Amino acid sequence: MKAASLNRNNFIRQIRRRPLTLLGPLFLIVLTYWFFFTSSKPTSKYSYKTKKNGFFSRQHDVIPRNLPGDHIAHYDLNKLASTPMAVYNKEKVLILSPMSKFYNEYWSNLLRLTYPRELLELGFIVPRNKDGDLALKKLEKAIKQIQTGKKENRFSKITILRQDTESLDNQQEKHRHALKVQKERRAAMASARNSLVFSALGPYTSWVLWLDADIIESPPTLIQDLVSHDKPIISANCYQRYFDEEKKQDSIRPYDFNNWVESEEGLKIAENMADDEIIVEGYAEIATYRPLMAHFYDANGDKNTEMELDGVGGAAVLVKADVHRDGAMFPPFPFYHLIETEGFAKMAKRLGYQVFGLPNYLVYHYNE
């Protein structure tokens, strides 16, 4: 008992003389617990980042807040849905637009879309040439204006890429659509589309809308209308407004001939082609006699009429994100003698997905 009393007295005297020596280990234990198991919560689920050129990009914070430290993000892709009730289920839509020129009409039409902005992300890829430099300048100005404006008008996220592959210098319509440049042009476009979707597609994306940057008119409910069909891939019919000199009146004409149904003649042509040759639709030099969706438009028909397709264009095409996640991309090489968007349709069908078009549902291409 006497020895125990002496030990207690010695311990008390040591605490009084050297408190830090004995309390130091306890302090380290408390500090370690605080560092690993607590963290400060962000005050906002959004952050704004300013680039050197003054372009503001709105970044969505996708890190869950119920995890220790808020440094690990978990996504269960089995619970990610692409349904015909996309707005009700708050499904995120990624709009992707390769852009060689910036059209004010395209941007105005994009802003008229009625799908909730907080569920919309945008992605652009711009070529490295003079046209691309000018388009980028105009695009950044438009984005800065909308993303620094009212919160309810801002998009959830915007991504801009500069194309890392060579682009055609001449982007005028008559040169773009010359048959002799189609393989080179479509291969470059395929590479750009792949870079864009691989970079911008997120683990929370339900739908991808491919919307060409020269589509200047579409119904404001474009996304909801296409989503309602609940198809893996579905394309609108792309037309163009023009002035008919003979009739002296405004009129419309088909523009995109890449939405088609395969024909026996098309299959025979492919059989006799070399491995590196491609079929390009819409040219008299390669007469496939494929039924083209552009020719099935009925002004008095039901806009919800569907037709199954084998080839698809890129003007306004809605894709369930899982189609891309499963490996459907845009081949920049001959794939069953098809390339880019038509090759994408072929690849998707090889993966077991169906492709559809809406012949009576029109979007309009810019008329140069």
Side-chain angles (χ1 to χ4, degrees), residues 90-332:
K90 297 184 178 181
E91 296 168 9
K92 289 210 167 186
V93 177
L94 173 64
I95 302 178
L96 298 180
S97 298
M99 178 177 287
S100 59
K101 291 184 179 181
F102 179 86
Y103 294 108
N104 291 322
E105 298 90 339
Y106 159 84
W107 186 253
S108 297
N109 185 67
L110 183 68
L111 296 182
R112 283 194 291 268
L113 296 179
T114 58
Y115 201 83
R117 291 280 176 87
E118 68 271 16
L119 301 176
L120 281 181
E121 294 187 5
L122 307 181
F124 304 93
I125 187 165
V126 184
R128 293 185 180 276
N129 55 27
K130 291 182 179 180
D131 284 342
D133 292 340
L134 181 59
L136 179 62
K137 184 178 180 180
K138 292 181 178 179
L139 176 62
E140 288 182 343
K141 181 180 179 180
I143 289 175
K144 182 178 180 181
Q145 184 177 5
I146 198 71
Q147 293 300 95
T148 57
K150 294 181 179 179
K151 186 175 181 180
E152 61 269 21
N153 293 335
R154 300 170 188 165
F155 293 95
S156 176
K157 181 181 177 182
I158 298 177
T159 301
I160 298 179
L161 304 179
R162 291 306 300 268
Q163 195 167 330
D164 57 357
T165 55
E166 294 185 3
S167 305
L168 294 180
D169 291 331
N170 198 327
Q171 293 291 336
Q172 292 184 4
E173 186 170 337
K174 64 180 181 179
H175 296 289
R176 286 201 316 267
H177 295 295
L179 179 59
K180 64 181 180 180
V181 301
Q182 286 310 297
K183 187 176 181 180
E184 178 186 4
R185 174 182 172 271
R186 300 285 294 275
M189 281 297 301
S191 296
R193 289 183 186 276
N194 289 333
S195 295
L196 186 53
V197 69
F198 294 157
S199 300
L201 186 68
Y204 42 78
T205 305
S206 292
W207 300 88
V208 177
L209 174 65
W210 289 96
L211 187 67
D212 278 353
D214 37 24
I215 298 301
I216 61 170
E217 183 183 344
S218 70
T221 54
L222 173 66
I223 297 175
Q224 295 94 314
D225 293 342
L226 297 182
V227 158
S228 67
H229 290 266
D230 196 24
K231 302 298 184 184
I233 303 171
I234 191 163
S235 175
N237 203 357
C238 182
Y239 266 54
Q240 187 178 57
R241 296 190 185 277
Y242 76 106
F243 183 77
D244 190 326
E245 293 290 349
E246 293 184 1
K247 297 181 180 179
K248 301 300 178 181
Q249 64 182 26
D250 292 330
S251 187
I252 61 174
R253 60 192 173 196
Y255 186 86
D256 189 349
F257 298 106
N258 294 329
N259 299 298
W260 45 261
V261 180
E262 189 57 275
S263 66
E264 290 295 328
E265 186 63 26
L267 293 174
K268 289 179 182 179
I269 293 174
E271 287 178 0
N272 297 318
M273 279 186 160
D275 291 342
D276 62 344
E277 290 183 305
I278 64 170
I279 298 176
V280 184
E281 195 52 61
Y283 293 85
E285 296 90 332
I286 308 177
T288 63
Y289 300 101
R290 290 165 171 165
L292 307 180
M293 185 174 77
H295 294 157
F296 282 77
Y297 170 62
D298 179 0
N300 298 316
D302 182 358
K303 71 174 185 178
N304 291 314
T305 298
E306 299 174 359
M307 63 182 295
E308 190 164 0
L309 302 174
D310 294 298
V312 73
V317 183
L318 187 71
V319 182
K320 290 192 175 185
D322 281 347
V323 176
H324 286 304
R325 290 194 184 96
D326 283 351
M329 42 81 80
F330 301 88

